[in-house]
Amino acid sequence: GSGSAPAHPPNYPSAPRNRPEGKVLETVGVFEAPKQHGKYETGQLFLHSVFGYRGIVLFPWQARLYDRDVASPVTEKSENAAGHGSKEVKGKTHTYYQVLIDARDCPHISQRSQTEAVTFLANHDDSRALYAIPGLDYVSHEDILPYSSTDQVPIQHELFERFLMYDQTKVPPFVARDTLCAWQEKNHPWLELSDVHRETTENIRVTVIPFYMGMREAQNSHVYWWRYCIRLENLDSEVVQLRERHWRIFSLSGTLETVRGRGVVGREPVLSKEQPAFQYSSHVSLQASSGHMWGTFRFERPDGSHFDVRIPPFSLESNKDEKTPPSGLHW
């Protein structure tokens, strides 16, 4: 319900606040100081600083972050009039993580974040299926509030014991099993190529991470698939609601498509001070090996007025010559 959570010692993370009435906060571990430098290792337990779920790091990867909120020096501004007031943005390296979400917390966050957002194209030739692994997420370094626990199975997830093994001599005391190492080896090269795009309009920050998923042959042509993960964050105290999306999708084959619709993934999320963020994934296919997308989200204020929030332009690249697309889990 609403209202603030009862006070608890500052040093103890607890399970999500929006718990059923009368349910006591449970201690899940002891907070550690977040890392200012360096990265978290496989097996690091954490609370998600935005969505509040318990999770564990499977592995880190380096992404290129293109942050449009960080203005480039004037001298570097490109002279061309191309693009929509486009700024020259330099990518900088930023650490992201592939993580498991605790299944006990999935019901609490399902209204704010899809817990089946990480999808794969099935690798079997006879299958055109898109399948999801529940309870996987991509998180940024600053999303992580690290904690330690004496529990040997602190995270409930069907893959936890397949991927990780308890080893009390290690810090953190969970080490990767061969299955995780094999899966990481297959998926890492593909994650390593990812770009992250970020832009803020009127205190609404939009972060987009596109991922190449692979190519399918259809009626003598090739169809290339991407997933894109989007996070919307309200950095202000005013409540706003997402009403519409408006996309432009340009393909290297020369086509430009416009997509308009109500909300996103069938929802029109409200972003408030209490629940400032919403995250979802969607998919796009092109008949060319690359292209790009950009657009706007239309938000409504409590007084009924509307404003448009820019979705930073991002490219869809297949890098088809370099990498094989990600593969799911084969046991």
Side-chain angles (χ1 to χ4, degrees):
S2 59
S4 58
H8 49 278
N11 220 22
Y12 294 95
S14 32
R17 276 187 305 194
N18 43 351
R19 63 199 181 285
E21 285 307 316
K23 188 168 190 305
V24 182
L25 282 177
E26 50 189 299
T27 300
V28 297
V30 180
F31 270 127
E32 298 169 351
K35 282 188 194 229
Q36 301 302 321
H37 308 288
K39 59 186 192 295
Y40 298 105
E41 299 300 330
T42 296
Q44 175 65 57
L45 293 167
F46 69 93
L47 282 189
H48 193 294
S49 67
V50 179
F51 296 112
Y53 64 72
R54 289 166 281 190
I56 193 163
V57 169
L58 291 181
F59 52 86
W61 90 89
Q62 299 302 122
R64 287 173 302 234
L65 174 64
Y66 295 89
D67 193 343
R68 289 173 171 260
D69 303 333
V70 179
S72 303
V74 177
T75 50
E76 288 182 26
K77 282 238 169 101
S78 53
E79 293 299 310
N80 66 354
H84 0 274
S86 70
K87 308 173 212 166
E88 187 72 30
V89 187
K90 293 250 182 293
K92 65 172 199 291
T93 307
H94 194 75
T95 306
Y96 273 73
Y97 300 91
Q98 177 107 58
V99 306
L100 291 184
I101 304 174
D102 194 305
R104 292 166 294 189
D105 296 340
C106 284
H108 300 295
I109 61 165
S110 61
Q111 289 304 304
R112 314 305 305 166
S113 177
Q114 292 169 316
T115 56
E116 300 202 356
V118 178
T119 47
F120 297 89
L121 283 172
N123 294 15
H124 322 300
D125 297 333
D126 58 338
S127 164
R128 294 279 168 272
L130 195 62
Y131 68 97
I133 298 173
L136 272 187
D137 200 4
Y138 302 117
V139 305
S140 167
H141 186 79
E142 59 271 14
D143 291 336
I144 288 188
L145 296 172
Y147 73 90
S148 57
S149 166
T150 54
D151 193 343
Q152 294 195 16
V153 187
I155 299 296
Q156 288 185 14
H157 189 289
E158 56 187 321
L159 297 176
F160 180 83
E161 295 190 66
R162 279 183 172 171
F163 275 170
L164 297 155
M165 195 165 35
Y166 183 74
D167 179 348
Q168 62 187 38
T169 66
K170 298 282 195 297
V171 180
F174 303 99
V175 295
R177 290 183 186 270
D178 293 348
T179 41
L180 177 57
C181 296
W183 193 59
Q184 177 179 2
E185 224 160 273
K186 274 185 187 167
N187 287 280
H188 209 277
W190 158 82
L191 285 172
E192 217 43 92
L193 291 169
S194 49
D195 289 342
V196 179
H197 301 265
R198 195 156 74 185
E199 184 166 7
T200 304
T201 310
E202 301 206 28
N203 285 318
I204 304 298
R205 184 162 70 193
V206 180
T207 305
V208 186
I209 317 180
F211 293 106
Y212 177 54
M213 296 182 68
M215 183 265 290
R216 284 276 183 262
E217 295 191 20
Q219 294 103 36
N220 306 324
S221 73
H222 291 163
V223 180
Y224 297 82
W225 283 88
W226 288 265
R227 173 178 68 249
Y228 54 92
C229 180
I230 292 192
R231 186 189 297 183
L232 302 164
E233 284 174 278
N234 184 356
L235 307 177
D236 197 20
S237 53
E238 183 180 58
V239 177
V240 294
Q241 184 167 15
L242 184 136
R243 290 301 192 188
E244 293 169 41
R245 67 184 184 281
H246 180 195
W247 282 108
R248 311 292 298 237
I249 305 165
F250 175 78
S251 165
L252 197 63
S253 58
T255 60
L256 178 62
E257 199 185 340
T258 297
V259 180
R260 288 178 180 273
R262 284 188 71 97
V264 287
V265 292
R267 308 263 284 280
E268 295 181 25
V270 173
L271 305 183
S272 64
K273 203 174 168 68
E274 292 70 42
Q275 300 202 306
F278 181 80
Q279 184 170 292
Y280 75 98
S281 279
S282 192
H283 301 88
V284 62
S285 63
L286 300 178
Q287 307 231 317
S289 60
S290 67
H292 53 261
M293 290 174 62
W294 68 96
T296 51
F297 290 122
R298 174 153 289 190
F299 278 86
E300 186 178 343
R301 296 190 182 92
D303 65 7
S305 64
H306 291 86
F307 63 101
D308 285 337
V309 169
R310 285 187 303 278
I311 303 168
F314 57 97
S315 59
L316 302 168
E317 304 287 346
S318 64
N319 303 97
K320 60 182 186 302
D321 303 328
E322 301 169 50
K323 304 283 187 245
T324 52
S327 58
L329 302 160
H330 301 295
W331 305 116

